[in-house]
Amino acid sequence: MYNTIVAFLTLMIVLSACIKSEKADTIIDSTDCEAIYIDPLETVTVNRSDLYEITQVIQLEDPIDNVLGNINDLVPINENLVVNSNGIFVYSDKGKFLREIGASGKGPGEYLSKHISGNRNKIVLTDRSQNKIIEYSLENGTLISEKITGIWGQSIANWNGFKVVYGGTELTSYNDKLFFFEAETNRYIDSFFELKEYEWKYINFFDKTNFFTFRDSLRFLYSFDNTVYSIHSKEDRFSISKRYCIDFNKHEIPKDFFQPDAFTDVLELSQTLRETNYAFRIMGFFETDQSVMFMFQHGSKLRMALYSKKEKEVKVIEHIADDVLFEGVDIEPRDEFFSYYFGNDKIYHLIYPYEIIELLAEKTKNGELDSDEKTRAFVQTHFQDKPGHYKMDPDGNPFIFVYELTN
């Protein structure tokens, strides 16, 4: 039985006829939570060069006997990029196609819907439709293990020898948020954060990022909890602490806003929040030694927050003035955020060829490209084989711009 030491977090033992927890009590600690204070009305415009440095530009090949399609996940593992689209495809970090992993279907090692993760030499996925976890070899794509869990897994992390599954707000026989499985045998170990009634009734949002690995810990966050948690493990014992606490002050959603029957579904909740002045929903968490970056929603607007660990100051970014990719273009964070993927201390930004061609055609029409030496040089290096001719198919696979934070 767990001892509750923090008022708003409840730990519970999962009772099941076929699954038993065999570990000692896990402690959740909030004493070292670093507060990040945000006023969503104090926004700034920043140059892209003040945020990112481009370290690489990659275009992905088409898989053999397949097409890539729209990308849902991109996971960097070692010197590889693992892409979740029409299938699961492994690429080199130069964009060369290496192999396909598994296949769509209902058989052993096959999947219907999927969220992927991985580290070292393994790829893991959670199949929401079939409530199972599958593990493959990164090196040759062979099936390592498969486990029917009974969990509708929204996202998964393969971390420190454990598969960690976030169950989202779908009710299961466990009624919990976070699950740990032993990597070798898929033995259930522990679960955290009791699912509240209003959550499973209408807060079924998909998050951009639920897990992020930083150094030796795993960060965890989910919709409508303004806390970024840090998970540590020692053997099969876990400790969870509140690493960052996001404080929106007077723009915080009131505690009595969420009631079991306040909203009929997620659409009604979302529309209501868009019409308020509340700030909420931490998304797309990314952390380096110097900075923390994430997105949040303020009413109907999506904002980027960049927090300096050293200065203990945060910038709320409303617009990005592009002085790196395409000089003079003004971008809202919303326009790029959903094509960002994170890992290896880098941000992977996907841009499709037709978007690049349309943008450059507009700049050429307005006479801007001729006068913009920086953009012209960038275009000639990456996108043209001769002046006025693009070495890319408008319907081709996306380019990946690899960024590192500049602060």
Side-chain angles (χ1 to χ4, degrees):
M1 187 167 101
Y2 294 108
N3 296 320
T4 302
I5 65 170
V6 181
F8 81 101
L9 292 174
T10 303
L11 300 180
M12 59 186 295
I13 293 179
V14 177
L15 300 177
S16 172
C18 59
I19 298 176
K20 295 181 180 180
S21 177
E22 301 176 359
K23 60 169 292 304
D25 291 351
T26 300
I27 297 175
I28 296 185
D29 181 28
S30 63
T31 57
D32 295 326
C33 186
E34 184 169 344
I36 299 178
Y37 299 98
I38 293 180
D39 184 342
L41 298 179
E42 294 185 358
T43 61
V44 298
T45 296
V46 299
N47 291 329
R48 189 187 291 279
S49 61
D50 294 330
L51 292 175
Y52 314 125
E53 174 188 357
I54 295 181
T55 60
Q56 195 176 2
V57 179
I58 307 165
Q59 188 174 26
L60 301 176
E61 294 180 343
D62 264 327
I64 298 173
D65 300 326
N66 208 332
V67 293
L68 184 59
N70 292 326
I71 294 177
N72 301 312
D73 296 309
L74 187 152
V75 180
I77 307 176
N78 303 333
E79 303 301 319
N80 299 118
L81 299 174
V82 182
V83 174
N84 172 13
S85 55
N86 291 337
I88 301 174
F89 306 114
V90 180
Y91 289 86
S92 75
D93 59 1
K94 301 296 189 293
K96 179 178 175 56
F97 173 72
L98 300 178
R99 68 190 62 88
E100 184 172 359
I101 303 292
S104 178
K106 296 183 179 180
E110 296 178 339
Y111 43 76
L112 295 177
S113 60
K114 55 196 181 300
H115 178 272
I116 63 172
S117 180
N119 63 14
R120 296 187 179 92
N121 59 352
K122 295 179 181 178
I123 298 171
V124 298
L125 69 84
T126 174
D127 184 339
R128 305 180 185 105
S129 299
Q130 302 184 81
N131 293 162
K132 65 181 181 180
I133 294 174
I134 311 174
E135 186 175 23
Y136 306 94
S137 164
L138 173 66
E139 183 177 356
N140 55 32
T142 57
L143 176 66
I144 297 175
S145 69
E146 178 177 287
K147 175 71 174 182
I148 303 296
T149 64
I151 301 169
W152 189 92
Q154 179 168 313
S155 58
I156 188 169
N158 186 28
W159 166 76
N160 207 22
F162 297 91
K163 303 182 188 77
V164 189
V165 180
Y166 172 58
T169 54
E170 293 286 328
L171 278 177
T172 71
S173 58
Y174 303 102
N175 270 6
D176 278 349
K177 287 280 189 186
L178 185 61
F179 294 82
F180 293 88
F181 289 85
E182 186 176 340
E184 298 303 323
T185 64
N186 290 305
R187 177 175 59 87
Y188 169 84
I189 296 177
D190 204 356
S191 57
F192 301 91
F193 304 127
E194 182 181 3
L195 188 62
K196 303 177 183 65
E197 184 179 359
Y198 64 78
E199 290 177 312
W200 60 259
K201 280 193 170 183
Y202 54 76
I203 303 188
N204 50 343
F205 282 82
F206 271 84
D207 299 307
K208 176 67 175 178
T209 304
N210 292 114
F211 299 106
F212 184 84
T213 302
F214 180 73
R215 303 298 174 255
D216 62 343
S217 66
L218 181 69
R219 306 296 196 223
F220 169 67
L221 65 159
Y222 66 101
S223 289
F224 299 99
D225 188 330
N226 293 344
T227 305
V228 178
Y229 299 91
S230 185
I231 304 171
H232 297 266
S233 72
K234 185 176 182 180
E235 297 178 351
D236 64 349
R237 299 187 63 181
F238 299 90
S239 63
I240 300 180
S241 60
K242 296 164 66 176
R243 181 62 185 91
Y244 298 105
C245 298
I246 316 303
D247 187 346
F248 293 114
N249 200 351
K250 63 182 180 180
H251 297 281
E252 199 96 21
I253 295 178
K255 292 182 179 180
D256 60 356
F257 182 83
F258 297 114
Q259 299 295 332
D261 298 314
F263 305 99
T264 56
D265 54 33
V266 66
L267 293 178
E268 184 180 347
L269 168 65
S270 180
Q271 183 59 39
T272 301
L273 285 170
R274 287 173 61 86
E275 296 171 356
T276 71
N277 197 32
Y278 299 144
F280 55 93
R281 201 175 176 212
I282 310 303
M283 298 175 282
F285 182 81
F286 177 68
E287 183 174 5
T288 67
D289 288 331
Q290 292 78 35
S291 304
V292 169
M293 189 184 82
F294 56 87
M295 306 291 288
F296 68 91
Q297 195 162 339
H298 177 218
S300 61
K301 301 178 177 65
L302 198 66
R303 301 293 190 225
M304 176 186 289
L306 184 64
Y307 175 70
S308 169
K309 292 182 177 181
K310 180 180 179 181
E311 304 296 334
K312 309 297 182 185
E313 294 179 352
V314 65
K315 292 179 182 177
V316 178
I317 300 169
E318 182 177 17
H319 293 281
I320 301 171
D322 196 345
D323 61 342
V324 175
L325 294 178
F326 308 110
E327 186 82 26
V329 176
D330 191 41
I331 301 159
E332 289 191 23
R334 175 190 297 274
D335 296 335
E336 291 193 350
F337 168 66
F338 294 103
S339 57
Y340 281 175
Y341 299 90
F342 312 99
N344 291 344
D345 292 335
K346 297 179 176 65
I347 299 171
Y348 297 80
H349 176 201
L350 270 60
I351 304 180
Y352 285 83
Y354 75 87
E355 298 176 289
I356 297 171
I357 292 173
E358 289 177 358
L359 183 58
L360 294 178
E362 186 67 23
K363 290 178 72 68
T364 301
K365 177 182 177 182
N366 297 334
E368 298 174 11
L369 193 58
D370 290 334
S371 60
D372 181 0
E373 294 183 6
K374 189 174 182 179
T375 297
R376 188 168 67 250
F378 187 84
V379 169
Q380 291 172 349
T381 300
H382 297 289
F383 308 128
Q384 289 183 336
D385 50 13
K386 60 183 178 179
H389 184 267
Y390 300 117
K391 56 181 181 183
M392 54 184 169
D393 179 356
D395 299 321
N397 294 332
F399 287 88
I400 301 174
F401 295 83
V402 184
Y403 301 148
E404 292 184 5
L405 288 181
T406 55
N407 56 4

